[in-house]
Amino acid sequence: MDSKREKDNETECAKITNVLLKSRTGEFDLESIMFLKLRKLGIYDLGCIGECINLERLDLSGNNITNLGPLSPLRRLLVLNLSANRITNLEPLSSCEGLQSLNVAGNVIPSVDNLHALKSLKKLESIRLKDNTYNYSNPVCKNSSYRTLILDIFPNMKVLDGERVVGRGSDLYQLCKDIDDTIKGMYKNGQLPEMPDTKPWVDDGFWEIKRSNNAIVDEAYKQFSDVLHECRLLNSRAAHVISQNERTISLKNQPKQYAV
């Protein structure tokens, strides 16, 4: 009996229905749903998901989805997680004009050409095709230049595969990448070749402070030293006066003692 009930539940979750959406969100009206998480439910049919027209954040990761057609009415969608599914075609998402972040790592997207359909999404600034943390990828990632090609398609892209490509942090990512490439290029047959002796960047004595022969500069330096000395004397005197005043105030505030 229990096994039959579990099987029925799995069948219900295989397709998104009104009952499933209402039970998951507690919302009676589908248009009221703004955030929805349907992870790892064995879903392969998106069903009536398009009726959630005010949906802003949607997580459908870890399912068996192949057809994204029902998502096309979701024009207010901001964040969409479709990782770990069986998606090859992203064209239905071209009408999701508000989309800012898209995660499709762990699918079967064959080439960069499949991303051209999303070129009209002007607000799209984050795409993930590969996720090393979960060992998710796509066939397109086998192309060594796929990152460059994607950035050509989406000039406003800020984050690609979890790494910043513009703005704060992008220089660090690029520096790390350059260092990794350099290290990989240094090794030949698993051995590090002999490196030439290092040479100093500047000549000896470059960092030594040299006195100027200019009389005007010397006089200005002397005046600055005198002013600095006077400032130190004034600071010392001020500290002494403040200390005396604090001591006087402390004595005045002490309670008077009377001899018995």
Side-chain angles (χ1 to χ4, degrees), residues 154-176:
F154 304 99
N156 297 325
M157 188 63 53
K158 293 182 179 180
V159 181
L160 178 58
D161 294 338
E163 297 181 358
R164 277 196 168 273
V165 292
V166 296
R168 181 177 297 178
S170 60
D171 293 340
L172 177 59
Y173 279 118
Q174 186 60 44
L175 177 61
C176 293

Side-chain angles (χ1 to χ4, degrees), residues 13-27:
C13 290
K15 179 179 180 179
I16 295 180
T17 62
N18 288 348
V19 175
L20 175 63
L21 293 175
K22 292 176 181 179
S23 64
R24 285 275 170 172
T25 63
E27 297 285 352

Side-chain angles (χ1 to χ4, degrees), residues 68-119:
L68 300 180
L71 297 179
S72 58
L74 306 181
R75 299 182 182 277
R76 297 188 179 183
L77 194 61
L78 303 176
V79 179
L80 177 59
N81 186 353
L82 292 167
S83 61
N85 278 280
R86 295 185 295 162
I87 299 164
T88 58
N89 182 19
L90 299 174
E91 187 173 355
L93 300 180
S94 60
S95 61
C96 301
E97 54 192 28
L99 194 61
Q100 298 177 5
S101 176
L102 174 63
N103 185 350
V104 287
N107 281 277
V108 282
I109 298 172
S111 70
V112 176
D113 294 336
N114 296 87
L115 295 165
H116 275 283
L118 306 182
K119 190 174 182 179

